[in-house]
Amino acid sequence: MQGLSIFGLLVATFLMVIAKRTPALVRSFRYQSFFLFLATLVIALEERQLNLYVVAGLIFALKVIGIPYFLQYTMKKINVREDLGLIANTQISLLLSLGFAYLSWIFSKQLMSSSETTAILPAVAFFILLTGMFLMIFRLTAMAQIIGLLIMENGLFLLASAVLGGMPFFVEIAIFFDVFVSVVIMGFFVYRINKLFTHIDVNRLSRLRG
Amino acid sequence: MSDPLSLFFLATILIVTIPSFVYSIGYLKKEYSPKKILLGQILTFLFVLSMLAVVTVSNMLAFLIAWEIMSLVSYFLVVFDSEHEKSIQAGTIYVVMTHAGTAFLVAAFLLLYQHTHSFDFNLVKVASQTIPVHTRNIIFIFLLIGFGTKAGIVPLHIWLPYAHPQAPSHISSMMSGVMIKTAIYGLIRFIIYLLGVNDTWWGTLVLILAIISCLVGIIYALMEKDIKKLLAYSSVENIGIILFGVGLSMYFMSKNMSYWAVFALIAGLYHLINHAIFKGLLFLCAGSVYKAAGTRNMEKLGGLIRTMPITAACFLIGAMGISALPPLNGFVSEWLTLQAFFMGAWHTPGTDKLFLGFCAAMLALTSGLAAACFVKAFGITFLAKPRSSYAEKAIESPVSMRFGMLFLAGLTIIFGLGAAVIINILSRVAGASLGIDTSAMVFSVNNITIHPLAGNAMSLSPLTMALILVLCGLLGWIIYKVYRKRAISYNTWDCGYYRLDARHEYTATGFSKPLRIAFSFFLRPYRTTKKSGESFYHIKSMTYETHTTPVFKKYIYKPVLAITFKSAKFMRRIQPGSIHVYLAYIAITIFVLIILIRKF
Amino acid sequence: MRFLPVLLIIILAPLLGGLITKIKNNLRMRQGQSIFQPYYNLVKYFNKEEVVSGTSSWIFKMAPFAIFASSLAALFYMREFLALIFIFALGRFFLSLAALDTGSTFGGMGSSREMFISSLSEPVACLACFAVSLQNGSTDLLAWKSLPLANTSALIAGVALFLVMIAETSRIPIDNQETHLELTMIHEAMILEYSGRSLALIEAASYIRQMIWLLIIAQVLLPLTDPVGISGSQWLLWSCWYAARIVIVAAVIALLEIAVAKMRLFRAVDFFGFGFVLAAIAVLCAVLGY
């Protein structure tokens, strides 16, 4: 079950890297969140702790259903082109992300300096983190930035549960709340930006500099 | 803190803010919408509250927070007239300068904390003696710069003549009257009370700064024709006079002349509360003129003494106070400061006497120039014929405004006549701040006579002096009345011209011309003359303008600003404005940091 | 007893003015007016009707009393030089305001110039007083504990005070009491609008002020202790010498007035600059014990 969820996370992340359109990205984010939910659920089943069940439930409710739905709703409302606007095309992105995967593997092994089985989960977490950062930098639209941030958050969550065995419950809840609120706020901003500039290509905001 | 020093400043703040607040009721009416008035009053309330907090808290962190709230709220009050572009400009200069000053304060406080491991005043005071000399010096300099910016010590005064006049007048009155005094509170509290003065050069430096502030402030005030700006520059001057007292006290303290240290600080504190009163009063009067005539330009005013008798009388009292005319309060405090110089110097051995004498002479020069400045301010604004239709239409202010002015005018007189009582109170304040027991020292006799203890006891009683002056005046009046000759009213002597009007009167600019020439080495005046006429031979009209070069702005602030902008331009090259690049910067920074701390 | 000298000064003050004028005239080989002419003038002014400018306000009417009061009150503060300077400033303040009040160009001119001159003379007076007080231990210039006649510091300070006095009593080379030329006049320009009783009060005040300045300078240059515990004949000698000193200073003023031409207004800066340097030297001498 662990293996399946790790595999799923990796696949979903690579899917995001090669996504060209926003809906695809949102869909892949939903998959990734789903596998994150699976991974958490597995741990919850093993440890038999109530708060882990609650966290898993929250992941499902917020990240698999709530946020993706909200993002799709926003996109429909602002009615723009679905292009993500690639700075690096999909082939190069894929190559780079393979590099990231290797990098995070080394990094994780150095950090953990133990057997490969325990190193694999942090490695995936690092990989997701890096990919999130990569998407934020190399995609043009504001939507991509939002999703990139969410991906990074997923990676952080995974890292925390892999390395520390989960954060304190209240911290976890607080982070979920934060993420949700920030997505709502950013959605609102995207809406405003679109209304003002008739597009959500953040690159054009560079005109605003001093 | 609830020691005498805090209580003294508490009293100072309340004495000025309460009448200013009453004044504001009439002042704001009809000028702004009710909503804006409410906002203004809430801000004013916050402002007063923050000032009260500044002088009462006993913790450096709390002090900083109160200080910042005070600065920010006063910024909002400066830009209260947000329609005027000038207000925004003034506000920006103010907020930049005041924050630069706060940065120095933060640095000084952190240094103090580093060596004393506490933010609490009492604990810091106990531990401050262990601070090494170099650090003490650095802390002193930082505190001086930090508080000096707020107090408007030259050359850090640059914001003051912009910000103070631009705020509504009751706010100007509070800012000039009280807010800049909180900086003096800071100087006394942190340097004299917490750090303790051991080095002679501290006091000397403060005295030199005082000389510069006094002279620069009053010379610029003399050149000004905007009445509120004139008052703002005069605040710079008066801060200098207060610093004379404070600096002298530090000087004597470092020489272990405790009596004279207390005496000098009394003089400084006395002038502080005096200035709070009469500068508050003068700003209120100026606001009243502005409201009635719609202009602050003195060249367009004149003759207001007939239409606004109460405002004029109040302004006259304030002007007399600030020009140090007996028997009003300004005279008492300047006399005390001069006596502190004279008597202190007599007890100081060596050639330092020359320096102290020089300081005293500069104080005398300042007071002479101040008198000239306020003869001009009162004479041009209130006397002779109105110079424009604005001034002709002016009417006396409403009751609430008159109350505020009359109250402060009354205080100006009371603080002059009751000097001996006040000095006894101040001696406790000064003693507590310096850590000297003053119970054995004599500063006044019978609560009537001021009495600096010296070789040849010199004493002065403002009350008696007032009595003598009034009696002598009365005598003159009686002599005048004994000869019952006719007094007829006729035109002013016009050399047979018969068309003497307001255009023949001396202007503010003309009045200060001799001094503009005398101080031309500093003011660098220049004039531009333009002829406009159809033909080459006949000139229809001429325009003539004279200006003075703003030396500090031109030679200090402009170069600094230019360098800042240049470096900002350079930095802009790495700022493309694209979110992606910024995100990349963040990512790179994180990686570099991780590599740098070698965690893997 | 305290009021007797005060009364004497008031009564004799105009005489001193007449004396200076008389000496000047005699030095110019003229007969000149009577030494009592100032008294005749005062009486004449008091008995004349007064013309008040319609432009003026209560400041103009009140100023003569303020000026008179300041000069008279100064008599009670001759032993406290610092207060004296400020009391004189009170009279000057009101005179300058009254000059502005009539709206006349002359008045404004006089007022402006007067404030210019006085603000420059104040530091000189202060520093000179400082030098003397360093000898005395107090700002009472009339109190000398011992009598060092050849005291360099006091002499130099006295000269500096003399320069201040020239300005304060509107004498040549700063001002000229004798002309009404708008290019030069300062004090006369300010009182141009006054007439009758008001003018009389102001003139009387000027005479008293002049007397006070002369007393102080005489005391600094040629010090004399108070007549304590001396018998009748000695007392007479003391009074003669006391009066003679003042006459000597008055004669110096008269000499200076006929020997020197009036300066350009802006040269006053140099004039007081010189005075300031003199006073500073006096302080230095006092510090070094000369």
Side-chain angles (χ1 to χ4, degrees):
Chain A
M1 204 56 180
Q2 181 90 353
L4 179 69
S5 53
I6 288 170
F7 177 71
L9 279 168
L10 273 175
V11 169
T13 314
F14 278 117
L15 275 176
M16 287 186 209
V17 173
I18 59 167
K20 275 183 171 177
R21 297 181 310 118
T22 319
L25 197 61
V26 174
R27 216 180 306 125
S28 310
F29 173 71
R30 183 172 261 169
Y31 298 153
Q32 193 192 40
S33 302
F34 178 72
F35 285 111
L36 192 67
F37 155 72
L38 266 188
T40 319
L41 196 64
V42 168
I43 299 169
L45 284 170
E46 280 169 7
E47 309 237 332
R48 295 194 172 279
Q49 279 185 338
L50 180 67
N51 55 13
L52 278 179
Y53 285 113
V54 176
V55 169
L58 272 175
I59 292 179
F60 191 77
L62 282 179
K63 290 191 172 163
V64 181
I65 297 170
I67 294 174
Y69 172 76
F70 176 75
L71 290 176
Q72 277 166 348
Y73 167 77
T74 313
M75 271 163 38
K76 219 177 265 169
K77 209 168 86 176
I78 62 180
N79 193 22
V80 286
R81 287 189 302 136
E82 293 170 340
D83 260 357
L84 267 178
L86 307 181
I87 293 175
N89 67 18
T90 46
Q91 288 84 7
I92 292 173
S93 303
L94 201 59
L95 272 175
L96 276 174
S97 63
L98 280 173
F100 287 152
Y102 183 66
L103 209 69
S104 35
W105 177 243
I106 296 170
F107 186 56
S108 169
K109 265 184 27 176
Q110 288 253 340
L111 199 70
M112 300 293 145
S113 64
S114 57
S115 64
E116 298 189 348
T117 41
T118 49
I120 183 80
L121 211 55
V124 173
F126 280 130
F127 173 57
I128 294 173
L129 259 174
L130 286 172
T131 313
M133 180 74 89
F134 171 78
L135 285 177
M136 283 175 85
I137 297 173
F138 286 95
R139 297 290 179 268
L140 276 178
T141 59
M143 279 318 235
Q145 260 93 49
I146 299 174
I147 296 166
L149 196 71
L150 290 167
I151 294 166
M152 283 178 77
E153 204 278 328
N154 273 353
L156 268 178
F157 178 80
L158 193 65
L159 189 67
S161 54
V163 178
L164 306 167
M167 281 179 269
F169 181 60
F170 283 105
V171 178
E172 208 94 76
I173 295 293
I175 290 177
F176 275 126
F177 187 70
D178 274 357
V179 167
F180 185 66
V181 170
S182 59
V183 166
V184 171
I185 290 171
M186 284 191 286
F188 178 71
F189 269 115
V190 166
Y191 178 71
R192 299 288 300 181
I193 291 171
N194 186 52
K195 234 183 156 182
L196 273 173
F197 295 92
T198 64
H199 63 83
I200 52 170
D201 177 354
V202 284
N203 218 15
R204 295 203 211 161
L205 292 181
S206 61
R207 271 186 309 172
L208 294 178
R209 75 183 177 143
Chain B
M1 296 301 266
S2 60
D3 64 348
L5 186 64
S6 287
L7 291 178
F8 167 72
F9 276 91
L10 216 62
T12 311
I13 290 171
L14 289 178
I15 275 179
V16 178
T17 49
I18 289 172
S20 296
F21 194 77
V22 174
Y23 173 94
S24 72
I25 297 168
Y27 182 74
L28 292 173
K29 216 172 175 180
K30 291 179 192 163
E31 300 271 319
Y32 303 97
S33 63
K35 217 167 146 189
K36 190 140 192 202
I37 290 176
L38 185 70
L39 174 75
Q41 298 295 29
I42 290 171
L43 280 175
T44 310
F45 188 65
L46 258 178
F47 180 46
V48 176
L49 225 55
S50 63
M51 285 194 293
L52 293 177
V54 164
V55 298
T56 46
V57 292
S58 63
N59 181 299
M60 293 199 292
L61 277 181
F63 181 88
L64 267 186
I65 291 168
W67 185 262
E68 270 301 87
I69 293 175
M70 182 180 82
S71 302
L72 281 177
V73 175
S74 54
Y75 164 72
F76 287 123
L77 288 167
V78 168
V79 296
F80 191 67
D81 270 331
S82 47
E83 301 93 72
H84 289 94
E85 201 188 329
K86 268 189 180 167
S87 296
I88 308 287
Q89 249 175 17
T92 312
I93 296 173
Y94 173 47
V95 86
V96 168
M97 285 303 288
T98 194
H99 276 90
T102 310
F104 280 98
L105 287 188
V106 172
F109 287 1
L110 287 179
L111 274 173
L112 271 175
Y113 178 74
Q114 196 191 354
H115 287 87
T116 60
H117 307 292
S118 170
F119 281 119
D120 190 83
F121 285 177
N122 294 321
L123 297 177
V124 170
K125 183 177 168 57
V126 172
S128 67
Q129 291 311 314
T130 58
I131 301 173
V133 178
H134 284 298
T135 321
R136 287 168 65 85
N137 289 343
I138 291 170
I139 293 173
F140 165 70
I141 294 287
F142 278 8
L143 286 173
L144 197 60
I145 296 174
F147 288 123
T149 313
K150 189 58 123 194
I153 296 174
V154 175
L156 301 167
H157 68 291
I158 194 90
W159 61 274
L160 206 148
Y162 291 96
H164 285 202
Q166 213 52 49
S169 293
H170 63 289
I171 300 299
S172 317
S173 143
M174 289 183 200
M175 284 178 78
S176 248
V178 196
M179 188 187 77
I180 57 174
K181 308 300 186 313
T182 58
I184 302 292
Y185 166 79
L187 284 177
I188 296 175
R189 172 68 78 199
F190 286 97
I191 293 175
I192 295 181
Y193 180 78
L194 289 188
L195 269 179
V197 187
N198 296 326
D199 293 313
T200 312
W201 72 266
W202 289 17
T204 313
L205 179 65
V206 173
L207 283 175
I208 291 170
L209 285 176
I211 295 176
I212 298 172
S213 295
C214 269
L215 291 180
V216 170
I218 196 63
I219 291 171
Y220 275 134
L222 264 165
M223 296 307 129
E224 206 49 68
K225 61 181 183 186
D226 177 334
I227 187 160
K228 279 179 84 178
K229 244 182 166 172
L230 180 148
L231 294 176
Y233 272 122
S234 146
S235 288
V236 174
E237 173 231 335
N238 278 280
I239 281 291
I241 298 179
I242 296 166
L243 282 181
F244 268 129
V246 175
L248 196 58
S249 172
M250 287 164 70
Y251 178 85
F252 288 143
M253 199 61 199
S254 64
K255 297 216 155 196
N256 278 324
M257 296 163 64
S258 46
Y259 179 87
W260 293 107
V262 174
F263 188 80
L265 195 58
I266 289 175
L269 290 176
Y270 203 145
H271 195 76
L272 186 144
I273 194 162
N274 286 345
H275 178 245
I277 292 167
F278 50 60
K279 189 48 67 62
L281 168 64
L282 289 169
F283 261 119
L284 294 188
C285 295
S288 167
V289 169
Y290 178 52
K291 191 180 164 78
T295 178
R296 301 190 318 222
N297 186 351
M298 286 194 284
E299 315 283 33
K300 291 203 163 68
L301 297 169
L304 293 176
I305 195 167
R306 268 174 291 280
T307 44
M308 307 175 73
I310 292 182
T311 307
C314 290
F315 194 98
L316 181 64
I317 290 173
M320 284 171 71
I322 206 165
S323 310
L325 297 183
L328 298 183
N329 57 0
F331 158 69
V332 180
S333 51
E334 285 200 18
W335 184 80
L336 284 175
T337 314
L338 281 172
Q339 282 292 350
F341 273 114
F342 279 40
M343 297 296 105
W346 198 54
H347 293 266
T348 317
T351 44
D352 285 359
K353 285 174 180 172
L354 196 61
F355 173 65
L356 293 179
F358 180 72
C359 290
M362 289 301 111
L363 179 57
L365 176 61
T366 309
S367 114
L369 291 172
C373 179
F374 282 91
V375 164
K376 172 183 121 171
F378 183 79
I380 305 290
T381 311
F382 289 98
L383 299 180
K385 281 180 184 160
R387 291 179 176 77
S388 71
S389 55
Y390 302 110
E392 271 167 15
K393 284 181 217 142
I395 45 161
E396 185 58 276
S397 327
V399 181
S400 59
M401 288 167 74
R402 269 182 277 167
F403 168 80
M405 291 186 286
L406 285 171
F407 182 81
L408 286 174
L411 280 183
T412 308
I413 296 168
I414 290 170
F415 270 72
L417 299 184
V421 181
I422 290 156
I423 279 173
N424 272 342
I425 299 168
L426 287 180
S427 71
R428 255 169 278 157
V429 177
S433 334
L434 290 162
I436 294 169
D437 181 29
T438 55
S439 52
M441 300 177 180
V442 182
F443 294 99
S444 72
V445 184
N446 305 329
N447 284 342
I448 290 177
T449 310
I450 313 166
H451 176 86
L453 191 73
N456 281 347
M458 207 65 254
S459 59
L460 184 77
S461 160
L463 211 59
T464 322
M465 186 183 267
L467 204 67
I468 292 175
L469 278 170
V470 169
L471 284 179
C472 293
L474 220 59
L475 183 69
W477 186 74
I478 290 167
I479 297 172
Y480 182 83
K481 280 288 164 191
V482 164
Y483 292 92
R484 298 169 182 219
K485 290 293 155 201
R486 226 152 43 96
I488 52 171
S489 179
Y490 197 68
N491 294 342
T492 301
W493 168 240
D494 48 19
C495 309
Y497 177 60
Y498 287 110
R499 274 164 63 194
L500 205 64
D501 62 12
R503 288 193 54 174
H504 297 95
E505 289 166 22
Y506 242 51
T507 57
T509 315
F511 190 92
S512 53
K513 172 115 189 183
L515 287 157
R516 191 156 48 245
I517 290 174
F519 294 106
S520 58
F521 63 91
F522 168 70
L523 290 166
R524 304 179 167 277
Y526 59 90
R527 52 172 99 166
T528 48
T529 318
K530 251 187 245 156
K531 295 171 191 168
S532 55
E534 279 96 70
S535 87
F536 183 74
Y537 303 101
H538 299 283
I539 296 158
K540 274 223 159 155
S541 64
M542 275 179 89
T543 52
Y544 165 78
E545 278 178 47
T546 176
H547 297 278
T548 53
T549 315
V551 175
F552 289 95
K553 219 161 127 190
K554 194 171 173 186
Y555 296 107
I556 298 180
Y557 286 90
K558 260 215 174 129
V560 170
L561 219 60
I563 291 169
T564 316
F565 274 109
K566 223 175 182 178
S567 55
K569 231 176 203 166
F570 177 73
M571 287 305 284
R572 211 169 71 167
R573 283 190 210 158
I574 62 163
Q575 286 199 330
S578 153
I579 282 179
H580 304 95
V581 177
Y582 293 143
L583 285 168
Y585 285 156
I586 294 172
I588 290 165
T589 312
I590 290 171
F591 287 130
V592 169
L593 281 177
I594 289 173
I595 291 163
L596 272 182
I597 56 173
R598 292 163 201 268
K599 273 292 173 201
F600 85 108
Chain C
M1 186 61 208
R2 198 181 165 186
F3 285 91
L4 188 68
V6 168
L7 212 61
L8 214 60
I9 291 173
I10 295 174
I11 292 169
L12 292 181
L15 186 66
L16 193 68
L19 184 69
I20 294 175
T21 318
K22 187 78 183 172
I23 297 174
K24 267 166 72 177
N25 279 327
N26 284 348
L27 284 170
R28 284 169 177 156
M29 301 296 170
R30 289 178 191 159
Q31 181 79 52
Q33 63 195 24
S34 155
I35 195 169
F36 298 106
Q37 187 62 40
Y39 294 101
Y40 305 149
N41 281 349
L42 284 179
V43 170
K44 181 178 74 186
Y45 294 147
F46 271 120
N47 285 310
K48 273 201 145 185
E49 67 174 14
E50 191 180 352
V51 182
V52 179
S53 162
T55 318
S56 62
S57 64
W58 58 267
I59 295 277
F60 183 80
K61 295 183 188 75
M62 203 204 76
F65 308 123
I67 297 157
F68 187 71
S70 95
S71 278
L72 220 52
L75 284 171
F76 296 89
Y77 286 92
M78 277 172 61
R79 305 201 72 99
E80 170 36 27
F81 188 72
L82 282 181
L84 193 75
I85 294 179
F86 284 111
I87 289 174
F88 282 151
L90 177 72
R92 189 162 52 226
F93 186 83
F94 276 99
L95 185 57
S96 307
L97 283 186
L100 280 172
D101 197 14
T102 56
S104 144
T105 318
F106 293 120
M109 196 162 62
S111 166
S112 161
R113 288 174 179 178
E114 172 76 2
M115 292 324 281
F116 167 64
I117 298 284
S118 69
S119 57
L120 292 177
S121 76
E122 244 170 62
V124 182
C126 179
L127 201 60
C129 167
F130 185 74
V132 180
S133 77
L134 281 181
Q135 310 265 326
N136 254 355
S138 88
T139 44
D140 181 355
L141 297 194
L142 305 188
W144 287 91
K145 276 182 212 149
S146 55
L147 293 179
L149 248 181
N151 185 318
T152 322
S153 166
L155 276 176
I156 299 174
V159 174
L161 278 178
F162 190 85
L163 298 185
V164 175
M165 184 270 294
I166 286 174
E168 289 285 325
T169 54
S170 32
R171 297 261 168 212
I172 294 175
I174 292 296
D175 194 358
N176 190 351
Q177 290 183 338
E178 290 172 346
T179 65
H180 277 146
L181 182 67
E182 68 263 33
L183 286 173
T184 59
M185 62 182 172
I186 300 174
H187 183 77
E188 291 298 320
M190 286 197 289
I191 60 172
L192 198 63
E193 284 298 317
Y194 277 111
S195 55
R197 295 169 286 174
S198 302
L199 182 63
L201 282 178
I202 293 174
E203 292 277 286
S206 305
Y207 286 129
I208 296 169
R209 203 170 64 219
Q210 172 173 291
M211 187 76 172
I212 292 173
W213 272 108
L214 283 184
L215 278 171
I216 287 171
I217 286 164
Q219 180 67 13
V220 171
L221 287 174
L222 309 161
L224 189 63
T225 40
D226 288 345
V228 185
I230 47 178
S231 60
S233 61
Q234 276 173 314
W235 204 88
L236 198 68
L237 205 67
W238 183 90
S239 332
C240 284
W241 173 230
Y242 195 91
R245 298 180 314 159
I246 298 167
V247 174
I248 291 171
V249 178
V252 173
I253 293 175
L255 261 172
L256 197 76
E257 279 218 292
I258 61 160
V260 179
K262 192 195 166 295
M263 278 188 200
R264 237 155 39 88
L265 180 68
F266 299 118
R267 288 287 303 282
V269 181
D270 303 334
F271 183 79
F272 289 113
F274 176 63
F276 192 80
V277 171
L278 275 183
I281 292 171
V283 173
L284 198 64
C285 287
V287 171
L288 298 176
Y290 289 110

